[in-house]
């Protein structure tokens, strides 16, 4: 499985370093087989020798240049970062990123060989229109995206489930992930109010290959608990 933590605009450099040490130590000690990915704010980028994958929450589709407030490939390369989130709903809806810009970023970082965690998810008004409208909305978010890119990971995060403590029903998550599975063979993460209390139920669903977690992963101990839950589910699936 892939268990990813998106820190968003939380955590300082010092807090992030402490977090890495705790989580990396836990993974080594427990022999966790899941991949742990952490997306800290760019101010916390640092070199780190451990068993974690560190990724960027965002970067512009450029090596460097005059793009005030943005970072580019050069700033990621400095820290050996080869993983990036693209299309997160907060960037789509709060920062106003268009599908056109998202495609540009996707293609640029694909060409550079990055692992791309590509986020999709519908707002509540689309959810309320029913399953067909929902799948059409997600299809539109796949426009221009190579769904068989070998380093692609999809994160399905319903906008209304992010940071609200509300999740879709287990049946709905399974239904949507099973529909997504028809479109891509790449790993499918669920995101939106995943926490220690519901991780077991959500991660055990068919076609859920991991989770992308915001607030529920800000505490290193909670993230480690979710890694353990994922490990148990993986072992059960493999009949260990
Ligand atoms: P929460 O886990 O806080 O709902 O956030 C989910 C998310 O947006 C992860 O990218």
């Amino acid at each position: 499985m892939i268990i990813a933590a998106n820190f968003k605009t939380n955590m300082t450099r010092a807090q992030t370093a402490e977090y890495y040490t705790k989580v990396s130590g836990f993974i080594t000690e427990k022999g966790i087989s899941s991949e742990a990915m952490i997306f800290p704010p760019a101010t916390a980028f640092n070199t780190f020798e451990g068993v974690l994958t560190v990724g960027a929450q965002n970067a512009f589709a450029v090596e460097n240049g005059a793009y005030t407030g943005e970072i580019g490939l050069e700033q990621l390369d400095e820290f050996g970062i080869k993983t990036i989130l693209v299309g997160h709903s907060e960037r789509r809806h709060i920062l106003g990123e268009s599908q056109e810009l998202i495609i540009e970023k996707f293609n640029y970082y694909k060409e550079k060989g990055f692992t791309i965690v590509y986020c999709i998810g519908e707002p509540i008004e689309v959810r309320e229109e029913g399953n067909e409208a929902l799948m059409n909305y997600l299809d539109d978010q796949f426009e221009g995206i190579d769904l068989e890119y070998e380093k692609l990971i999809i994160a399905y995060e319903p906008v209304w489930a992010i940071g609200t403590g509300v999740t879709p029903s287990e049946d709905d998550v399974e239904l949507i992930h099973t529909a997504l599975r028809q479109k891509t063979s790449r790993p499918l993460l669920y995101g939106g109010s995943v926490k220690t209390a519901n991780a077991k139920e959500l991660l055990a669903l068919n076609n859920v290959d991991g989770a992308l977690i915001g607030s529920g992963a800000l505490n290193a101990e909670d993230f480690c608990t979710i890694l353990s839950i994922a490990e148990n589910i993986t072992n059960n699936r493999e009949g260990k």
Side-chain angles (χ1 to χ4, degrees), residues 4-8 39 85 88-90 119 155 157-159 161-166 190-195 211-218:
N6 176 7
F7 287 177
K8 308 189 180 183
F39 295 89
L85 282 182
H88 192 280
S89 75
E90 284 150 15
C119 306
E157 303 198 295
V159 179
I162 295 178
T164 58
V166 179
Y190 168 77
S193 295
V194 177
K195 37 189 172 290
L212 178 56
I213 313 165
S215 47
L218 288 177

Side-chain angles (χ1 to χ4, degrees), residues 190-239:
Y190 168 77
S193 295
V194 177
K195 37 189 172 290
T196 52
N198 61 12
K200 188 173 169 202
E201 288 70 26
L202 290 164
L203 289 171
L205 297 172
N206 287 321
N207 294 313
V208 173
D209 305 309
L212 178 56
I213 313 165
S215 47
L218 288 177
N219 176 300
E221 283 76 24
D222 289 346
F223 188 72
C224 291
T225 301
I226 297 174
L227 280 172
S228 291
I229 291 169
E231 195 66 16
N232 286 338
I233 294 169
T234 305
N235 287 343
N236 283 344
R237 281 182 183 166
E238 291 171 1

